[in-house]
């Protein structure tokens, strides 16, 4: 493997930072040598993330060389943190003597970091997990049905809120108090329903990601291709999003060109979870 070094800017800060830190005391950028060990670390921990349906995996490392403009020198071999999500990675660092991260690089797409080594996965069913996947599909359909019910109730309440506001503005004295009370109850109920809808939406998204990984061994950010039987068409895209409806999943993302690069046009295809692709 040729000797290559990846350079990261340092331009983001931890949101929980309690005390302001002067910009000059932070590193300007980070250098990471691209090695086989680095590549394997990223891919292994991404696999762990997908298997356990995690949002992020953080690994302690000393492979980052932080450059400080203030001292005009590098800090080598210091404790740092590699942050890995399904699609991106970033590096965070500490400010001595603290042990918690105080600065972090921007998150970069994994395919930009794993240089010239992006594999296109042809979707095929993982029969080993099919019974488990079918049980997850039943759970997904139940959650989807509940999500639709909650969404319908929420929008019905939204239709009531505006007339109540108008009534409240047009009324006075006791009637105005009654209108205020009714409007307050409607707003409270609407907020509760909105929170439930958002919670169900997140649960459905996470469950669908789990199903896709178990059924096809792919996750967000992967380059995937699907040959539609009977039509002779092949769709290749970077997997960026999906939704489930009527027993089928819609995979969508940026299309991949014939040269293996991410294109500007969006692409999508539908795939049944029950019948073999």
């Amino acid at each position: 493997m040729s000797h290559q070094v990846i350079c990261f800017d340092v331009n983001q800060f931890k949101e929980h930072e309690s005390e302001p830190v002067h910009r000059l005391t932070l590193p300007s950028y980070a250098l990471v040598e691209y090695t086989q060990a680095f590549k394997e670390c990223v891919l292994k921990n991404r696999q762990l993330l997908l298997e356990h349906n995690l949002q992020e995996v953080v690994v302690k490392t000393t492979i980052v060389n932080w450059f400080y403009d203030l001292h005009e020198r590098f800090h080598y071999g210091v404790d740092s943190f590699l942050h890995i999500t399904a699609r991106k990675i970033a590096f965070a660092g500490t400010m001595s003597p603290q042990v918690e991260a105080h600065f972090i690089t921007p998150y970069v797409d994994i395919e930009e970091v794993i240089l010239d080594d992006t594999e296109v996965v042809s979707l095929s069913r993982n029969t080993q997990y099919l019974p488990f996947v079918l049980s997850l599909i039943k759970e997904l359909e139940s959650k989807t049905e509940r999500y639709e019910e909650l969404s319908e109730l929420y929008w019905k309440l939204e239709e009531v809120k505006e007339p109540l506001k108008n009534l409240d503005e047009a009324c006075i004295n006791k009637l105005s108090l009654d209108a205020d009370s009714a409007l307050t109850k409607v707003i409270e109920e609407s907020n509760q329903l909105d929170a439930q809808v958002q919670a169900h939406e997140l649960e459905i998204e996470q469950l669908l990601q789990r199903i896709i990984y178990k059924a096809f061994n792919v996750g967000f950010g992967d380059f995937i291709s699907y040959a539609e039987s009977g039509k002779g068409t092949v769709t290749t895209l970077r997997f960026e999003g999906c939704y489930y409806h009527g027993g089928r999943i819609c995979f969508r993302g940026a299309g991949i060109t014939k040269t293996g690069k991410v294109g500007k046009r969006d692409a999508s295809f539908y795939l049944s979870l029950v019948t073999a692709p």
Side-chain angles (χ1 to χ4, degrees), residues 21-35:
V21 179
H22 196 276
R23 184 67 183 87
L24 289 177
T25 65
L26 299 175
S28 301
Y29 54 86
L31 293 180
V32 178
E33 185 178 2
Y34 179 63
T35 64

Side-chain angles (χ1 to χ4, degrees), residues 46 83-84 89 92 108 129 150 164 190 216 239 243 267 271 274:
R46 181 180 183 272
H83 296 249
I84 304 168
I89 71 164
V108 177
Y129 286 104
L150 291 170
L164 275 176
S190 177
F216 305 107
F239 184 24
Y243 64 86
L271 183 59
V274 180

